Amino acid sequence: MTTSHLPLHDLSVTALAAQLRQRHVSATEVAQHFLARSHAHQHLGAYVALNEEATLAQARAADARLAAGSAGPLEGVPLAHKDIFVTRDFPTTAGSKMLVGYQSPFDATVVSRLAQAGAVTLGKLNCDEFAMGSANENSAVAPVGFNAPAPVRNPWDTTRVPGGSSGGSAVAVAARLAPAVTGTDTGGSIRQPASFCGITGIKPTYGRASRYGMIAYASSLDQAGPMARSAEDCALLLSAMCGPDPDRDSTSLDVPAEDFSARLNDNLQGLRIGVPKEFFGEGLAADVRAAVDAALKEYEKLGAKLVPISLPRTELSIPVYYIIAPAEASSNLSRFDGVKFGHRAPNFTDLEDMYKKTRAEGFGDEVKRRIMTGAYVLSHGYYDAYYLQAQKIRRMIADDFQQAFQQCDLIAGPVAPTVAWKLGEHSSDPLADYLADIFTLPASLAGLPGMSVPVGFGDSQMPVGLQLIGNYFQEARLLNAAHRLQQATDFHLRQPEGF
């Protein structure tokens, strides 16, 4: 038993790592505890794959290293991975029928780096198919305990979405089914579900974390990051995840790994926080605005200074993103043709018929929608009018940020215009999902680090997140600002009833 008065699932990653190092609890006990919780709360649909034998074998190996005194910083701490990262010991589907039954022969770099730090893998987490979605309603894979695909449910209100595409990841942390998890963020898929589920999540600078073994959606946007309850825990995970991987990922930056925990307690006196007027316009719900405004006032109490700024091309980020991302997706997903791996249609007449039937059967509606959009904007006669123009505006959006950062150190605003909506509410209107990404897309298009920090509750007592955006390689500053806010508030410690 742990000497802490808290149950194991209520311990932070930092506290759990300390308990394991002090041998107050074994990695095997911790793994068994979280596996039991994943079964007890499988109605949430968070996990899509478990392999208890592999998990417990990793836990026993961690116990041996702890006993030998050769423990890593995360030794014995159980984590779960978004089902977009390939893993040797667990199947990988990317939430798609196209990959049902696929078992990778290797681990993604992010997975192997966390394992090298001592982490134990609990399982794979539900996500929108090929990470395409803002609600985690697009998964085509049956979660653990289900016989058919089912949406992930928000533990704060199981009639609502958890956000997407890393919805399973956010739910696993919020419902205490894992102390921390990995997610991926293409246009907000770490930050938005973190906000909707009342947890902390960070997307680092594009290229900081290797994309090797991360199934590609949009290669110039996809980035891995950690999701946990606190900024302190995210800093610990991010330190293990980041670092150059030039031999296997051409988009990996040659920037050495950093200890993101080192500056967590820096003073915020004089920190300039930019508040973009475009993030506080008509579309922002009053309940979200109230929580965000309260958090900004808290920063002023901590010594920070609020600076009004402008990001004039914020609205253009939606059309720009939904041209560039589908264009890259249509190219990336062309490899799923039924020839080498993945689903293959059982009945066909010739090669072309096999391609058509395989892709028609294997891909879901949202994926098909984005492939078709991407193929259209890249086609002859439309490339210059759409794709090329979008890339030019993307550059301008990045320039807007650089001008803003001449006046401020960080940028703060809402993560999403509203709290989590009801399951099925946007099912007949995919554009409603797209519009919900308006505040997260600009930082993604610019390749900047961004994070979501829980700052309160809105209507129906649903969580609200504050978005913090930093300049390139300013993850430590972001995490410091988030940590200091979390020392002054307790929203990150709140948990849904019954969990």
Side-chain angles (χ1 to χ4, degrees), residues 219-232:
S219 302
S220 74
L221 292 156
D222 299 341
Q223 191 59 193
M227 302 168 79
R229 273 175 273 161
S230 68
E232 185 180 28

PDB file of all heavy atoms in Angstrom, residues 219-232:
ATOM      1  N   SER A 219       1.327  16.265 -42.514  1.00  0.00           N
ATOM      2  CA  SER A 219       2.730  16.168 -42.082  1.00  0.00           C
ATOM      3  C   SER A 219       3.348  17.481 -41.631  1.00  0.00           C
ATOM      4  O   SER A 219       4.253  17.489 -40.801  1.00  0.00           O
ATOM      5  CB  SER A 219       3.581  15.571 -43.205  1.00  0.00           C
ATOM      6  OG  SER A 219       3.081  14.304 -43.564  1.00  0.00           O
ATOM      7  N   SER A 220       2.902  18.615 -42.164  1.00  0.00           N
ATOM      8  CA  SER A 220       3.504  19.893 -41.779  1.00  0.00           C
ATOM      9  C   SER A 220       2.842  20.484 -40.534  1.00  0.00           C
ATOM     10  O   SER A 220       3.202  21.581 -40.108  1.00  0.00           O
ATOM     11  CB  SER A 220       3.417  20.900 -42.936  1.00  0.00           C
ATOM     12  OG  SER A 220       2.102  21.383 -43.086  1.00  0.00           O
ATOM     13  N   LEU A 221       1.890  19.754 -39.956  1.00  0.00           N
ATOM     14  CA  LEU A 221       1.144  20.256 -38.799  1.00  0.00           C
ATOM     15  C   LEU A 221       1.174  19.307 -37.602  1.00  0.00           C
ATOM     16  O   LEU A 221       1.181  19.753 -36.453  1.00  0.00           O
ATOM     17  CB  LEU A 221      -0.326  20.497 -39.197  1.00  0.00           C
ATOM     18  CG  LEU A 221      -0.582  21.632 -40.191  1.00  0.00           C
ATOM     19  CD1 LEU A 221      -1.891  21.398 -40.942  1.00  0.00           C
ATOM     20  CD2 LEU A 221      -0.614  22.975 -39.491  1.00  0.00           C
ATOM     21  N   ASP A 222       1.156  17.991 -37.860  1.00  0.00           N
ATOM     22  CA  ASP A 222       1.064  16.999 -36.779  1.00  0.00           C
ATOM     23  C   ASP A 222       2.201  17.153 -35.776  1.00  0.00           C
ATOM     24  O   ASP A 222       3.368  17.228 -36.160  1.00  0.00           O
ATOM     25  CB  ASP A 222       1.160  15.560 -37.333  1.00  0.00           C
ATOM     26  CG  ASP A 222       0.045  15.207 -38.301  1.00  0.00           C
ATOM     27  OD1 ASP A 222      -0.982  15.887 -38.290  1.00  0.00           O
ATOM     28  OD2 ASP A 222       0.225  14.236 -39.064  1.00  0.00           O
ATOM     29  N   GLN A 223       1.867  17.154 -34.492  1.00  0.00           N
ATOM     30  CA  GLN A 223       2.895  17.183 -33.459  1.00  0.00           C
ATOM     31  C   GLN A 223       2.409  16.442 -32.218  1.00  0.00           C
ATOM     32  O   GLN A 223       1.243  16.545 -31.833  1.00  0.00           O
ATOM     33  CB  GLN A 223       3.263  18.633 -33.108  1.00  0.00           C
ATOM     34  CG  GLN A 223       4.486  18.788 -32.253  1.00  0.00           C
ATOM     35  CD  GLN A 223       5.764  18.201 -32.856  1.00  0.00           C
ATOM     36  OE1 GLN A 223       6.752  18.047 -32.166  1.00  0.00           O
ATOM     37  NE2 GLN A 223       5.774  17.864 -34.135  1.00  0.00           N
ATOM     38  N   ALA A 224       3.305  15.653 -31.632  1.00  0.00           N
ATOM     39  CA  ALA A 224       2.977  14.884 -30.420  1.00  0.00           C
ATOM     40  C   ALA A 224       3.167  15.750 -29.188  1.00  0.00           C
ATOM     41  O   ALA A 224       3.988  16.667 -29.177  1.00  0.00           O
ATOM     42  CB  ALA A 224       3.892  13.663 -30.335  1.00  0.00           C
ATOM     43  N   GLY A 225       2.410  15.424 -28.141  1.00  0.00           N
ATOM     44  CA  GLY A 225       2.576  16.137 -26.878  1.00  0.00           C
ATOM     45  C   GLY A 225       1.934  15.366 -25.742  1.00  0.00           C
ATOM     46  O   GLY A 225       1.144  14.445 -25.975  1.00  0.00           O
ATOM     47  N   PRO A 226       2.251  15.727 -24.497  1.00  0.00           N
ATOM     48  CA  PRO A 226       1.692  15.032 -23.340  1.00  0.00           C
ATOM     49  C   PRO A 226       0.398  15.681 -22.838  1.00  0.00           C
ATOM     50  O   PRO A 226       0.182  16.887 -23.007  1.00  0.00           O
ATOM     51  CB  PRO A 226       2.797  15.179 -22.291  1.00  0.00           C
ATOM     52  CG  PRO A 226       3.438  16.494 -22.625  1.00  0.00           C
ATOM     53  CD  PRO A 226       3.304  16.688 -24.109  1.00  0.00           C
ATOM     54  N   MET A 227      -0.427  14.874 -22.180  1.00  0.00           N
ATOM     55  CA  MET A 227      -1.641  15.355 -21.514  1.00  0.00           C
ATOM     56  C   MET A 227      -1.639  14.742 -20.123  1.00  0.00           C
ATOM     57  O   MET A 227      -1.419  13.537 -19.963  1.00  0.00           O
ATOM     58  CB  MET A 227      -2.881  14.940 -22.302  1.00  0.00           C
ATOM     59  CG  MET A 227      -2.881  15.449 -23.740  1.00  0.00           C
ATOM     60  SD  MET A 227      -4.146  14.722 -24.789  1.00  0.00           S
ATOM     61  CE  MET A 227      -5.591  15.645 -24.286  1.00  0.00           C
ATOM     62  N   ALA A 228      -1.838  15.586 -19.120  1.00  0.00           N
ATOM     63  CA  ALA A 228      -1.816  15.120 -17.726  1.00  0.00           C
ATOM     64  C   ALA A 228      -2.688  16.073 -16.914  1.00  0.00           C
ATOM     65  O   ALA A 228      -3.343  16.949 -17.469  1.00  0.00           O
ATOM     66  CB  ALA A 228      -0.384  15.090 -17.202  1.00  0.00           C
ATOM     67  N   ARG A 229      -2.674  15.887 -15.591  1.00  0.00           N
ATOM     68  CA  ARG A 229      -3.522  16.774 -14.790  1.00  0.00           C
ATOM     69  C   ARG A 229      -2.887  18.140 -14.576  1.00  0.00           C
ATOM     70  O   ARG A 229      -3.571  19.137 -14.467  1.00  0.00           O
ATOM     71  CB  ARG A 229      -3.842  16.121 -13.450  1.00  0.00           C
ATOM     72  CG  ARG A 229      -5.077  15.239 -13.540  1.00  0.00           C
ATOM     73  CD  ARG A 229      -5.342  14.505 -12.265  1.00  0.00           C
ATOM     74  NE  ARG A 229      -4.615  13.250 -12.221  1.00  0.00           N
ATOM     75  CZ  ARG A 229      -4.369  12.580 -11.116  1.00  0.00           C
ATOM     76  NH1 ARG A 229      -4.777  13.035  -9.962  1.00  0.00           N
ATOM     77  NH2 ARG A 229      -3.709  11.442 -11.160  1.00  0.00           N
ATOM     78  N   SER A 230      -1.569  18.202 -14.519  1.00  0.00           N
ATOM     79  CA  SER A 230      -0.910  19.464 -14.186  1.00  0.00           C
ATOM     80  C   SER A 230       0.220  19.799 -15.153  1.00  0.00           C
ATOM     81  O   SER A 230       0.730  18.933 -15.870  1.00  0.00           O
ATOM     82  CB  SER A 230      -0.331  19.378 -12.775  1.00  0.00           C
ATOM     83  OG  SER A 230       0.750  18.444 -12.760  1.00  0.00           O
ATOM     84  N   ALA A 231       0.618  21.073 -15.123  1.00  0.00           N
ATOM     85  CA  ALA A 231       1.752  21.518 -15.931  1.00  0.00           C
ATOM     86  C   ALA A 231       3.039  20.841 -15.451  1.00  0.00           C
ATOM     87  O   ALA A 231       3.924  20.519 -16.248  1.00  0.00           O
ATOM     88  CB  ALA A 231       1.892  23.034 -15.825  1.00  0.00           C
ATOM     89  N   GLU A 232       3.141  20.603 -14.155  1.00  0.00           N
ATOM     90  CA  GLU A 232       4.322  19.934 -13.594  1.00  0.00           C
ATOM     91  C   GLU A 232       4.483  18.541 -14.196  1.00  0.00           C
ATOM     92  O   GLU A 232       5.592  18.142 -14.592  1.00  0.00           O
ATOM     93  CB  GLU A 232       4.169  19.842 -12.068  1.00  0.00           C
ATOM     94  CG  GLU A 232       5.379  19.272 -11.368  1.00  0.00           C
ATOM     95  CD  GLU A 232       5.202  19.201  -9.857  1.00  0.00           C
ATOM     96  OE1 GLU A 232       4.053  19.078  -9.392  1.00  0.00           O
ATOM     97  OE2 GLU A 232       6.224  19.258  -9.152  1.00  0.00           O
TER      98      GLU A 232
END
